[in-house]
Every structure is written in structure tokens, then in C-alpha cells.
């Protein structure tokens, strides 16, 4: 039978070969980000603070974050 998708039917080996490198890059970037944020406790500059306020406001509007009251 001819497979339309090149990795179809190859199971876990296909998944590992295809997605594991991307997953490892994402995991490494996330860990580096968390380490950087833990080490750098400086007050953010105005632009970053405004971006953070906007992100929190959007999170609250979408009920992803608790209200600040």
C-alpha cells in the first residue's frame, strides 16, 4: 500500500526522528529563559513593563489569570 504521508506507519521511530530535536530545542530555550529570569531581578525598563502589563491585562480578560483586586 502506498502511503500519502512519508512517515505514516513508522510509529515511535518516526516521531522521535521528526519531533524530538524540536522538543529538545524548545526545552533548552525554556530552561535558559527561566534561569535568566531567576538570575536577573532588575526592575524592567519602561517598554518591558508596559508589555508585561498588557500581557497581564489580556490574561485577565481571557480568565487565564486571577483578577488583581
Amino acid at each position: 500500500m502506498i502511503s500519502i504521508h512519508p512517515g505514516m506507519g513508522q510509529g515511535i521511530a518516526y516521531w522521535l526522528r521528526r519531533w524530538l530535536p524540536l522538543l529538545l530545542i524548545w526545552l533548552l530555550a525554556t530552561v535558559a529563559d527561566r534561569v535568566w529570569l531567576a538570575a536577573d531581578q532588575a526592575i524592567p525598563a519602561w517598554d518591558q513593563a508596559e508589555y508585561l502589563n498588557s500581557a497581564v491585562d489580556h490574561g485577565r480578560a481571557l480568565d487565564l489569570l486571577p483578577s488583581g483586586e
Side-chain angles (χ1 to χ4, degrees):
M1 183 169 144
I2 297 175
S3 174
I4 296 173
H5 190 275
M8 219 170 179
Q10 293 179 4
I12 192 74
Y14 172 76
W15 187 91
L16 287 173
R17 191 173 62 250
R18 176 93 179 193
W19 296 107
L20 188 61
L22 182 61
L23 180 64
L24 291 175
I25 290 169
W26 175 81
L27 188 62
L28 180 64
T30 301
V31 168
D33 183 54
R34 296 292 110 188
V35 168
W36 180 274
L37 288 175
D40 184 16
Q41 295 294 318
I43 297 172
W46 184 84
D47 289 340
Q48 288 95 359
E50 181 58 33
Y51 178 78
L52 179 60
N53 285 335
S54 177
V56 169
D57 289 340
H58 282 83
R60 288 179 179 155
L62 296 170
D63 289 330
L64 298 173
L65 296 172
S67 83
E69 298 172 30

